[in-house]
Amino acid sequence: MKKNEAVESEAVGCRKCEPTAYSLQPTASVYRALTIAGSDSGGGAGIEADLKTFTVLGVHGMAALTAVTAQNTVAVTGVVDLPPAFVAEQIRAVADDIGVDAAKTGMLSNAGIVEAVADAIRAHGIQQLVVDPVMIAKSGDALLRADARAALSEMLLPLALIVTPNIPEAEILAGIHIVTPDDILEAAKRIQALGPRYVLIKGGHLEEEIARDYFFDGFAMRTFDAPRIDTKNTHGTGCTYSAAITACLARGYDVPDAIQRAKEYLTEAIRLSYPLGHGHGPLNHAWPLEW
């Protein structure tokens, strides 16, 4: 079988983004996006990356904090989880007063937090939910306990509009080893069977010349391509990607368009990243801004 035989539709290439494409234009509406995730003290991932992305892409960002990490570009040296009831209280506070056009989840840490978040999402009728099933930090440190993986699959994925695992996360969720495009298609089918409407498997861990992501809508696989950039400054890539998708959904784009625009924003943020610290440096979230 040829390498891409499992991919049924034509790939979508990444065009270079113009800064003005992401400038906030005057509008009568204020778009509202909520991140439910952990804090990265190094500022490269987690809610810090999400809120930067929301702001640059023209949405009002809100946050429900799930955990606090002591983290830098090299390692996660400590984690303190917040009480599940307080996580839910944060979601309730913003949903009741401000409202939520789209939301995303990131680091959820334990089964109690996953359950509390799922209950809150359901109670407040949040329809446009992006689930980034964060399990491992860029440094290799675990961010989701083993007992929470089943809770994520059983309680949260059925509420998701789209789930955005990378290859290792997709292997865990689908229960298979991924090597070929056929494996990716099978994994996407298995993950969709858990409840999300759409599945986006990020291909950054694959040894390919391009950065290719695989989008499954229940009928066919579509790919989103971008140049693979040779840099170690990729801390927070997954958080930023899912936050950009969330922002675009909040602004009214449909799912494929949201992915395409998010992919373009992410690619430039990686290309223009900077070398902070002694490990994996952060992305340049603010690249579209003109000073």
Side-chain angles (χ1 to χ4, degrees):
M1 176 169 285
K2 296 180 181 179
K3 183 177 180 181
N4 290 321
E5 192 169 350
V7 180
E8 300 178 26
S9 62
E10 184 178 354
V12 177
C14 177
R15 63 185 183 276
K16 188 180 183 301
C17 307
E18 294 296 334
T20 54
Y22 294 100
S23 298
L24 178 59
Q25 301 299 322
T27 176
S29 300
V30 176
Y31 308 105
R32 306 156 298 177
L34 170 65
T35 173
I36 307 166
S39 171
D40 172 5
S41 57
I47 61 166
E48 287 79 5
D50 294 343
L51 292 175
K52 293 173 190 177
T53 301
F54 289 167
T55 298
V56 169
L57 297 188
V59 302
H60 174 71
M62 303 167 288
L65 194 61
T66 60
V68 178
T69 70
Q71 184 175 172
N72 52 34
T73 66
V74 178
V76 178
T77 60
V79 177
V80 175
D81 295 341
L82 271 67
F86 189 67
V87 175
E89 181 63 24
Q90 294 174 78
I91 298 171
R92 180 162 47 251
V94 297
D96 284 348
D97 177 42
I98 301 171
V100 178
D101 294 313
K104 64 154 285 188
T105 62
M107 176 186 178
L108 299 178
S109 195
N110 63 58
I113 291 176
V114 173
E115 182 176 2
V117 169
D119 288 345
I121 293 294
R122 189 181 298 107
H124 295 284
I126 297 173
Q127 299 296 315
Q128 296 201 108
L129 177 66
V130 179
V131 174
D132 182 8
V134 175
M135 297 182 183
I136 303 292
K138 184 68 69 177
S139 60
D141 297 281
L143 297 177
L144 185 69
R145 297 175 188 172
D147 68 326
R149 293 176 181 175
L152 182 76
S153 296
E154 296 169 7
M155 299 179 185
L156 196 59
L157 290 190
L159 303 177
L161 175 62
I162 182 170
V163 59
T164 63
N166 58 30
I167 294 295
E169 292 162 350
E171 289 180 328
I172 291 171
L173 292 173
I176 63 172
H177 185 50
I178 295 175
V179 178
T180 68
D182 282 335
D183 297 333
I184 294 174
L185 179 59
E186 177 61 25
K189 290 178 177 179
R190 293 189 182 198
I191 294 170
Q192 192 190 48
L194 297 174
R197 183 172 178 184
Y198 301 109
V199 179
L200 179 68
I201 297 180
K202 299 171 292 188
H205 288 77
L206 298 175
E207 295 183 0
E208 295 183 325
E209 294 182 359
I210 58 176
R212 171 168 289 168
D213 302 325
Y214 298 81
F215 174 69
F216 184 63
D217 63 1
F219 301 98
M221 186 77 80
R222 172 180 178 181
T223 63
F224 291 85
D225 296 344
R228 183 176 291 276
I229 299 166
D230 184 17
T231 178
K232 70 173 184 176
N233 302 321
T234 55
H235 182 58
T237 301
C239 301
T240 301
Y241 197 3
S242 58
I245 293 171
T246 305
C248 290
L249 290 173
R251 292 184 67 99
Y253 292 97
D254 64 19
V255 173
D257 284 344
I259 294 170
Q260 178 65 37
R261 291 178 66 85
K263 180 83 168 176
E264 293 171 355
Y265 167 75
L266 176 69
T267 300
E268 288 298 290
I270 296 173
R271 187 176 70 83
L272 299 173
S273 62
Y274 34 80
L276 290 180
H278 297 89
H280 295 281
L283 312 185
N284 182 356
H285 294 91
W287 72 262
L289 300 181
E290 297 182 16
W291 296 91

